[in-house]
Amino acid sequence: MANIQKRKTQKGDVSYRVQIRLSGYPQATKTFDRLTDAKAWAAQTETAMRERKHFPNREAERHTLNDLADRYIKKVERDNPGAAPKQAQIMRWWQKQLGDYALANITTAMITEKRDSLLDEGYSAATTNRYLAALRKAMNDEVSKQDWMRDNPVSRVEKQQEPRGRVRFLSKDDELPRLLAACRKSALPELYMIVRLAITSGMRKGEILGLRWADVDLARGQATIQDTKNDERRAVTLVPEVVALLKEHSKVRRLNTDLVFVRQGKDKAVVIDTRFREAVAKAKIKDFHFHDLRHTCASFLAMSGATIPELADVLGHKTLSMVQRYAHLSQAHTSSVVERMNKKFLGAV
């Protein structure tokens, strides 16, 4: 209901402050010089609020985006602790933007407006898409369970066109040994093992830090990623050296958590960002980030003769387009295949 308050200053100026409180919406407030304008705005605003699109699920009217974000953050902390800090940061941003709105009242237009505000603030297309992806995932979780939502308004928001991703990988005989040597000397004992795992498996940082002992089969040399970026479980091969490192690491396993890489004194994944940057600096390697270890793995695989479908399978990509960037690295392998075909079938022609 609208509440109109008459206000009078010491100089005698009169104004009318309108407050509208309606369940499922943040409080709307505006001040006018004339009472007729205040009443008109109040009536129009209340009507606009009440004439929202009908939503069949009453739970969506009872719960706000604040509720959804808090619930999603707890889920990520439980299922994928390695990705939890970044996801929490993104969801807190959405809470500041739309947190007080009931889920039933959040529209595609509202989310599109917030997407544009990210771009206006200088966020890149890739980062903006990550913010949309986090909200889309949180809402999809509710849609799939049909607990709070039956439709996801983010699914109709257009993603931004991203520039082709860079391919920065370590040089095998120079940068790679220097980085590994620096990681061995790190103040974080697990860093060397984590970096070796990233280079040899192509796993993302969040996937590595979210690993649990229940998902690691050291006898078979395999790990299972339960919560991936593509929402599908993925099996990862562990090379013998990494298996040996993990076996040694398992001897001092913490009893109060199942996480493989756990923070000292806490039931949370270890934080590696600062120590990794220190190792990169000590190795005197420029323009290199942790995610580039994944590019290093993919590039080494391509140069070893892996096909594009094989790369997609190892990296966990649903489509081949994401791994086309490594195609040029396997040209030598492709050329040898063509040469073998030519000798077998066309050599005598």
Side-chain angles (χ1 to χ4, degrees), residues 7 10 21 79 108 122 126 154 172 195 219 234 260 278-279 288:
R7 294 186 168 188
Q10 292 181 348
R21 293 186 177 90
D79 298 340
T108 297
V154 188
K172 175 180 175 293
V195 169
R234 183 169 96 251
V260 175
E278 290 175 351
F288 195 82

Side-chain angles (χ1 to χ4, degrees), residues 256-308:
N256 63 330
T257 180
D258 193 34
L259 285 170
V260 175
F261 303 110
V262 62
R263 201 178 312 178
Q264 188 68 32
K266 295 186 178 180
D267 184 15
K268 292 185 177 181
V270 68
V271 178
I272 68 170
D273 295 347
T274 300
R275 297 306 181 190
F276 181 74
R277 286 195 295 268
E278 290 175 351
V280 170
K282 288 180 180 178
K284 297 182 179 179
I285 298 174
K286 296 182 179 180
D287 187 30
F288 195 82
H289 311 292
F290 190 91
H291 192 74
D292 294 326
L293 296 173
R294 181 170 161 86
H295 294 316
T296 298
C297 175
S299 300
F300 286 178
L301 284 170
M303 289 185 286
S304 299
T307 64
I308 294 299

Side-chain angles (χ1 to χ4, degrees), residues 221-240:
Q222 190 175 83
T224 302
I225 306 172
Q226 300 290 351
D227 190 6
T228 69
K229 186 177 180 180
N230 294 325
D231 296 327
E232 293 182 353
R233 285 196 299 178
R234 183 169 96 251
V236 174
T237 299
L238 305 177
V239 299

Side-chain angles (χ1 to χ4, degrees), residues 27-91:
Q27 178 178 289
T29 304
K30 197 168 183 178
T31 302
F32 298 87
D33 293 331
R34 299 193 309 168
L35 180 59
T36 53
D37 293 338
K39 289 181 177 180
W41 181 82
Q44 292 172 0
T45 303
E46 276 194 317
T47 299
M49 288 180 172
R50 294 184 187 280
E51 287 182 351
R52 67 186 182 275
K53 182 180 178 182
H54 173 67
F55 202 90
N57 188 353
R58 290 180 60 84
E59 292 299 316
E61 298 184 359
R62 295 173 52 191
H63 294 284
T64 65
L65 188 122
N66 277 327
D67 300 330
L68 178 139
D70 289 339
R71 184 152 135 163
Y72 177 68
I73 290 170
K74 289 180 180 178
K75 176 182 181 297
V76 177
E77 288 176 342
R78 181 185 68 248
D79 298 340
N80 191 0
K86 185 61 179 179
Q87 292 295 297
Q89 174 190 333
I90 293 174
M91 295 310 296

Side-chain angles (χ1 to χ4, degrees), residues 53-299:
K53 182 180 178 182
H54 173 67
F55 202 90
N57 188 353
R58 290 180 60 84
E59 292 299 316
E61 298 184 359
R62 295 173 52 191
H63 294 284
T64 65
L65 188 122
N66 277 327
D67 300 330
L68 178 139
D70 289 339
R71 184 152 135 163
Y72 177 68
I73 290 170
K74 289 180 180 178
K75 176 182 181 297
V76 177
E77 288 176 342
R78 181 185 68 248
D79 298 340
N80 191 0
K86 185 61 179 179
Q87 292 295 297
Q89 174 190 333
I90 293 174
M91 295 310 296
R92 296 303 182 206
W93 185 87
W94 282 111
Q95 285 182 309
K96 290 180 180 179
Q97 306 303 313
L98 301 170
D100 291 334
Y101 282 92
L103 297 174
N105 300 331
I106 296 178
T107 66
T108 297
M110 293 165 66
I111 298 171
T112 300
E113 179 183 348
K114 298 306 177 182
R115 178 206 63 188
D116 293 343
S117 73
L118 284 167
L119 296 170
D120 291 341
E121 291 173 20
Y123 285 74
S124 68
T127 300
T128 300
N129 287 340
R130 300 297 88 76
Y131 274 64
L132 287 174
L135 183 60
R136 183 185 300 109
K137 178 68 167 60
M139 290 187 168
N140 274 339
D141 285 350
E142 300 304 331
V143 172
S144 64
K145 291 181 295 188
Q146 293 191 346
D147 280 355
W148 291 354
M149 303 183 72
R150 294 185 184 177
D151 180 54
N152 189 343
V154 188
S155 63
R156 296 183 294 275
V157 178
E158 184 178 353
K159 292 197 297 184
Q160 297 300 291
Q161 183 68 37
E162 297 182 25
R164 173 180 282 187
R166 72 172 194 166
V167 178
R168 170 69 166 98
F169 59 94
L170 295 168
S171 58
K172 175 180 175 293
D173 299 321
D174 183 22
E175 293 177 324
L176 176 59
R178 293 210 314 266
L179 178 61
L180 291 178
C183 289
R184 280 187 181 276
K185 298 177 183 178
S186 172
L188 181 66
E190 300 91 343
L191 184 63
Y192 175 76
M193 188 179 354
I194 290 171
V195 169
R196 290 292 304 198
L197 182 55
I199 293 174
T200 57
S201 70
M203 294 170 67
R204 300 177 177 89
K205 181 174 70 172
E207 294 171 343
I208 293 174
L209 299 183
L211 272 180
R212 297 183 180 276
W213 286 112
D215 301 322
V216 178
D217 188 338
L218 295 177
R220 296 175 58 193
Q222 190 175 83
T224 302
I225 306 172
Q226 300 290 351
D227 190 6
T228 69
K229 186 177 180 180
N230 294 325
D231 296 327
E232 293 182 353
R233 285 196 299 178
R234 183 169 96 251
V236 174
T237 299
L238 305 177
V239 299
E241 182 182 2
V242 170
V243 170
L245 291 170
L246 287 171
K247 283 182 178 179
E248 189 66 25
H249 183 54
S250 69
K251 295 178 181 179
V252 290
R253 187 185 307 185
R254 289 260 298 274
L255 299 178
N256 63 330
T257 180
D258 193 34
L259 285 170
V260 175
F261 303 110
V262 62
R263 201 178 312 178
Q264 188 68 32
K266 295 186 178 180
D267 184 15
K268 292 185 177 181
V270 68
V271 178
I272 68 170
D273 295 347
T274 300
R275 297 306 181 190
F276 181 74
R277 286 195 295 268
E278 290 175 351
V280 170
K282 288 180 180 178
K284 297 182 179 179
I285 298 174
K286 296 182 179 180
D287 187 30
F288 195 82
H289 311 292
F290 190 91
H291 192 74
D292 294 326
L293 296 173
R294 181 170 161 86
H295 294 316
T296 298
C297 175
S299 300

